[in-house]
Amino acid sequence: MASEDIAKLAETLAKTQVAGGQLSFKGKSLKLNTAEDAKDVIKEIEDFDGLEALRLEGNTVGVEAAKVIAKALEKKSELKRCHWSDMFTGRLRSEIPPALISLGEGLITAGAQLVELDLSDNAFGPDGVRGFEALLKSSACFTLHELKLNNCGMGIGGGKILAAALTECHRKSSAQGKPLALKVFVAGRNRLENDGATALAEAFGIIGTLEEVHMPQNGINHPGVTALAQAFAINPLLRVINLNDNTFTEKGAVAMAKTLKSLRQVEVINFGDCLVRSKGAVAIADAVRGGLPKLKELNLSFCEIKRDAALAVAEAVADKAELEKLDLNGNTLGEEGCEQLQEVLDGFSMATVLASLSDDEGEDEDEEEEEEEEEEEGEDEEEEEEDEEEEEEEEEEEEEPQQQEQGEESPTPSRKIPDPTSGTDTSDPEKVVSAFLKVSSVFKDEASVRTAVQEAVDALMKKAFSSSSFNSNAFLTRLLIHMGLLKSEDKIKAIANLYGPLMALNHMVQQDYFPKALAPLLLAFVTKPNGALESCSFARHNLLQTLYKV
């Protein structure tokens, strides 16, 4: 490094911001390639007593420099906030993972307890997620409240890696009695698409403590939106939902509206540029009308919403005393529709909350156009869904209880389920597994059916577990194999629908007859990412929450 460069670096460091436990090199444009380049930065870090926040944004850190900075961080156990966005400018993508690994190892060695990690605007791609995967799974992130990964190009692969790491962090932290309580998640502009969003939704459902979710511009369509909606429903503290510039269509909007009805803390909804369309807007209006007492901002701009649907939205906010902004710009209201919208809000003394309508697209005279477009774009997906449903029905028929094979009807709310202990050798784990799956496969959320299934499960499992000759571990192993959660050399076809078995397990593990020593093994397999569990996020979440308490 030339002497004039060193002098410039020294001058920059002299202006470094130091306040409230924070050491900031933000926006200094430092080029830290080698250990020598980072020497003065390291000294600043080492000399800072009680370091709680380190800002490295707007600089560029190489692999060698990252290693020595990490070494300096090994003694900073009080570090809580890492503001590390935009710190790899001009670096090869291959340089970023090893740099992140080194920095993560420094934090882990220090025994730091992070509450905020910001790696936004670092274009590291899927491989970059591997760079901080170990950090996320470590005790350094058990206390994490805010995770910001905006504009990182993670893609579907990175999204899946991230979801698995968050799930593992929750599992490990829960084992220590303090489950991960993530509050803020930011991952806009990452090309997550449906598969990445669905994987993250699964993690969100397990975590259950989110207050803000920002995932704009990710190419997410209605399957991913629906998965997120289901996860949001079991995050009751949600205040901010930002899914701007994804593609809901009616299906996604209806799923999200259903979730919004159950949430009471939501303050900000940003579904702008999400192709909600009129039917979706009406569904969301219905959700707003029936709840969301703390709503402050609703953005449905540029969503191809027509006049009547927009008016329904306006009427729905009549009692929202805290509403500050309603954005319906860029839709197809027409001049008359815009005036009517203003009049409706005037009638509620809420005219000031309406955002500009300057980009209104004008009234769409073709009332059938929206329906035709949705039918065309949904046709192929519906055919695929029908094929999948037919396959599932065939598989479920093979798994139906024996009494149905003999021509008897499936249990109805008014019928009792036959005693599964009758004719079942409860000393044989394989036969008990078979009986358990037959009984649980008919589980329904109707109270009488649910009770009947639970009583049958209790009769079967209480008898089995109380037998001295019954191998409980073998039972659980065989059950996991039949559920498709554990691989086996035997060619066993996993059951198609895990909802009933998961709900039955959730009941069983709470009973006195259940051996508590089996809980950790069951928890380990239900926590692992698995395609068979993706469609049963609600049942899976319930079981996980129960297992953490056992």
Side-chain angles (χ1 to χ4, degrees), residues 105-125:
E105 288 174 347
L107 296 172
I108 294 169
T109 302
Q113 298 285 288
L114 297 183
V115 295
E116 181 178 0
L117 177 61
D118 186 356
L119 292 170
S120 298
D121 300 316
N122 291 309
F124 46 58

Side-chain angles (χ1 to χ4, degrees), residues 391-417:
E391 289 175 9
E392 287 179 3
E393 284 172 6
E394 289 172 6
E395 291 173 353
E396 286 171 3
E397 284 172 7
E398 294 174 8
E399 297 292 338
E400 281 181 350
Q402 189 174 352
Q403 66 264 23
Q404 292 185 40
E405 293 174 5
Q406 295 171 345
E408 293 184 26
E409 297 176 0
S410 61
T412 64
S414 61
R415 290 190 56 174
K416 277 193 172 183
I417 295 175

Side-chain angles (χ1 to χ4, degrees), residues 82-146:
C82 296
H83 302 279
W84 294 351
S85 63
D86 187 25
M87 69 173 200
F88 296 112
T89 303
R91 299 289 168 187
L92 295 173
R93 183 172 287 187
S94 60
E95 293 181 83
I96 301 176
L100 287 172
I101 289 171
S102 294
L103 292 167
E105 288 174 347
L107 296 172
I108 294 169
T109 302
Q113 298 285 288
L114 297 183
V115 295
E116 181 178 0
L117 177 61
D118 186 356
L119 292 170
S120 298
D121 300 316
N122 291 309
F124 46 58
D127 292 340
V129 185
R130 293 286 188 197
F132 60 93
E133 179 184 17
L135 173 63
L136 278 182
K137 292 179 178 180
S138 76
S139 59
C141 286
F142 287 179
T143 50
L144 197 64
H145 287 170
E146 300 181 32

Side-chain angles (χ1 to χ4, degrees), residues 29-317:
S29 300
L30 303 177
K31 295 181 180 179
L32 307 178
N33 299 316
T34 66
E36 179 66 22
D37 295 341
K39 182 175 64 176
D40 293 322
V41 171
I42 292 165
K43 187 175 188 306
E44 290 281 338
I45 293 172
E46 290 176 338
D47 292 347
F48 196 110
D49 292 329
L51 180 63
E52 295 184 7
L54 177 62
R55 308 195 75 104
L56 292 174
E57 310 104 306
N59 299 290
T60 179
V61 180
V63 176
E64 188 180 337
K67 286 181 179 178
V68 291
I69 291 173
K71 192 70 177 175
L73 292 177
E74 288 182 1
K75 297 179 181 178
K76 301 299 174 181
S77 61
E78 295 178 9
L79 187 60
K80 293 180 175 63
R81 299 183 182 276
C82 296
H83 302 279
W84 294 351
S85 63
D86 187 25
M87 69 173 200
F88 296 112
T89 303
R91 299 289 168 187
L92 295 173
R93 183 172 287 187
S94 60
E95 293 181 83
I96 301 176
L100 287 172
I101 289 171
S102 294
L103 292 167
E105 288 174 347
L107 296 172
I108 294 169
T109 302
Q113 298 285 288
L114 297 183
V115 295
E116 181 178 0
L117 177 61
D118 186 356
L119 292 170
S120 298
D121 300 316
N122 291 309
F124 46 58
D127 292 340
V129 185
R130 293 286 188 197
F132 60 93
E133 179 184 17
L135 173 63
L136 278 182
K137 292 179 178 180
S138 76
S139 59
C141 286
F142 287 179
T143 50
L144 197 64
H145 287 170
E146 300 181 32
L147 179 59
K148 300 174 182 177
L149 299 165
N150 203 56
N151 191 32
C152 292
M154 290 189 290
I156 294 172
K160 289 182 175 180
I161 296 168
L162 176 61
L166 287 172
T167 301
E168 181 69 2
C169 180
H170 188 271
R171 185 188 70 79
K172 287 183 174 180
S173 58
S174 296
Q176 293 192 7
K178 294 183 178 180
L180 171 67
L182 190 66
K183 296 179 180 179
V184 178
F185 180 83
V186 180
R189 300 181 66 186
N190 271 291
R191 305 192 311 275
L192 294 170
E193 300 181 19
N194 289 331
D195 289 348
T198 300
L200 285 166
E202 191 71 37
F204 295 164
I206 292 169
I207 293 168
T209 56
L210 287 167
E211 296 180 13
E212 294 186 27
V213 175
H214 302 264
M215 296 175 66
Q217 289 185 283
N218 271 297
I220 306 170
N221 299 325
H222 77 79
V225 171
T226 299
L228 288 170
Q230 292 170 347
F232 293 166
I234 41 183
N235 280 265
L237 302 178
L238 266 174
R239 294 184 296 104
V240 179
I241 303 174
N242 177 7
L243 294 177
N244 187 282
D245 199 8
N246 289 292
T247 307
F248 282 39
T249 64
E250 181 189 346
K251 291 181 180 178
V254 168
M256 193 61 71
K258 182 180 178 181
T259 284
L260 291 175
K261 287 182 178 181
S262 67
L263 298 175
R264 307 294 295 174
Q265 305 301 320
V266 174
E267 298 176 4
V268 177
I269 297 172
N270 186 344
F271 297 158
D273 204 12
C274 283
L275 204 63
V276 166
R277 292 190 172 138
S278 294
K279 290 182 180 178
V282 170
I284 291 171
D286 185 50
V288 171
R289 185 181 298 107
L292 304 176
K294 298 183 179 182
L295 188 63
K296 293 181 178 179
E297 181 177 335
L298 175 59
N299 184 347
L300 294 174
S301 61
F302 299 93
C303 281
E304 294 190 6
I305 298 170
K306 296 177 183 178
R307 179 181 59 184
D308 290 348
L311 292 174
V313 173
E315 290 167 358
V317 302

Side-chain angles (χ1 to χ4, degrees), residues 265-437:
Q265 305 301 320
V266 174
E267 298 176 4
V268 177
I269 297 172
N270 186 344
F271 297 158
D273 204 12
C274 283
L275 204 63
V276 166
R277 292 190 172 138
S278 294
K279 290 182 180 178
V282 170
I284 291 171
D286 185 50
V288 171
R289 185 181 298 107
L292 304 176
K294 298 183 179 182
L295 188 63
K296 293 181 178 179
E297 181 177 335
L298 175 59
N299 184 347
L300 294 174
S301 61
F302 299 93
C303 281
E304 294 190 6
I305 298 170
K306 296 177 183 178
R307 179 181 59 184
D308 290 348
L311 292 174
V313 173
E315 290 167 358
V317 302
D319 64 342
K320 306 306 168 192
E322 297 184 35
L323 190 69
E324 298 171 359
K325 183 178 181 181
L326 172 62
D327 193 345
L328 289 165
N329 196 21
N331 288 299
T332 54
L333 310 185
E335 184 176 346
E336 185 179 345
C338 290
E339 291 175 359
Q340 289 177 329
L341 187 63
Q342 188 73 50
E343 288 172 4
V344 168
L345 292 169
D346 276 339
F348 305 143
S349 300
M350 298 178 72
T352 57
V353 306
L354 184 63
S356 169
L357 297 172
S358 60
D359 293 318
D360 185 73
E361 296 289 336
E363 189 169 7
D364 188 349
E365 296 179 0
D366 188 353
E367 296 294 327
E368 297 179 1
E369 183 179 344
E370 180 180 320
E371 292 180 7
E372 288 175 359
E373 286 178 358
E374 290 192 354
E375 284 173 7
E376 286 173 7
E377 69 186 23
E379 198 171 58
D380 293 336
E381 291 172 353
E382 285 173 5
E383 286 176 4
E384 289 175 7
E385 288 171 4
E386 284 173 7
D387 291 341
E388 288 174 4
E389 286 171 6
E390 285 174 8
E391 289 175 9
E392 287 179 3
E393 284 172 6
E394 289 172 6
E395 291 173 353
E396 286 171 3
E397 284 172 7
E398 294 174 8
E399 297 292 338
E400 281 181 350
Q402 189 174 352
Q403 66 264 23
Q404 292 185 40
E405 293 174 5
Q406 295 171 345
E408 293 184 26
E409 297 176 0
S410 61
T412 64
S414 61
R415 290 190 56 174
K416 277 193 172 183
I417 295 175
D419 183 359
T421 62
S422 178
T424 300
D425 181 1
T426 52
S427 65
D428 185 335
E430 183 67 30
K431 290 180 179 177
V432 173
V433 167
S434 178
F436 175 87
L437 291 175

